[in-house]
Amino acid sequence: LNMPFDKNSFDLVWSLESGEHMPDKTKFVNELMRVVAPGGRIIIVTWCHRDLEKGEPSLSKKEEKLLAKINRAYYLPRWCSVDDYVQLLEKEGAVDIKREDWSYIIAPFWKAVIKSSLNFKSVVGLMKSGFSTIRGAYAMLLMLKGFDAGLIKFGLITCTKKEE
């Protein structure tokens, strides 16, 4: 969370599937904002949990349990929502913030990966590969369950750093 670049170094900062690995989402967003030049664009594409409904204080216990299993299987810290990222960017003064749910684009990938692995050769290879790989394969099933429940989202957030 401390990139070796001067502030205002880039016209475009692109973060693809990185946010879910960051234990401190505030520091992550602050660092993206630090290195992008005024007038520059930030693009974040990351795994998130669903946005909370108005008046909803938190995810359900069932949802939290499923997310915890996914995070444990993939060795990830707690996820946040697209709304959470938008709020962090707003706090840092980002403008022209746009968001899009790309879950419908990526969801078929999970089913295709799982389906492609359901053959004798793949199962034997998986069993030989060791615990971490088996755990990752199990996490794919959890991700699929999360997609089907509307819990897991693949979010796109883009914004511009305000001109000085």
Side-chain angles (χ1 to χ4, degrees), residues 122-134:
S122 295
V123 171
V124 169
L126 180 63
M127 293 302 139
K128 290 180 178 179
S129 66
F131 178 72
S132 291
T133 304
I134 294 169

Side-chain angles (χ1 to χ4, degrees), residues 2 8 11 15 17 25-26 29 32 39 61 67 71 75 83 101 110 114 121 123 126 135 137-138 141 145 152:
N2 187 15
N8 304 328
D11 292 328
S15 170
E17 295 189 74
K25 307 303 189 231
T26 300
V29 167
L32 297 177
K61 288 184 181 189
L67 273 179
N71 291 343
Y75 306 98
D83 272 349
D101 182 356
W110 289 101
I114 292 166
K121 185 178 178 182
V123 171
L126 180 63
R135 187 176 187 165
Y138 170 66
L141 296 173
K145 183 177 180 180
I152 305 297

Side-chain angles (χ1 to χ4, degrees), residues 138-157:
Y138 170 66
M140 287 179 153
L141 296 173
L142 296 174
M143 288 286 288
L144 190 57
K145 183 177 180 180
F147 272 126
D148 290 343
L151 172 63
I152 305 297
K153 300 294 181 182
F154 194 61
L156 162 74
I157 308 103

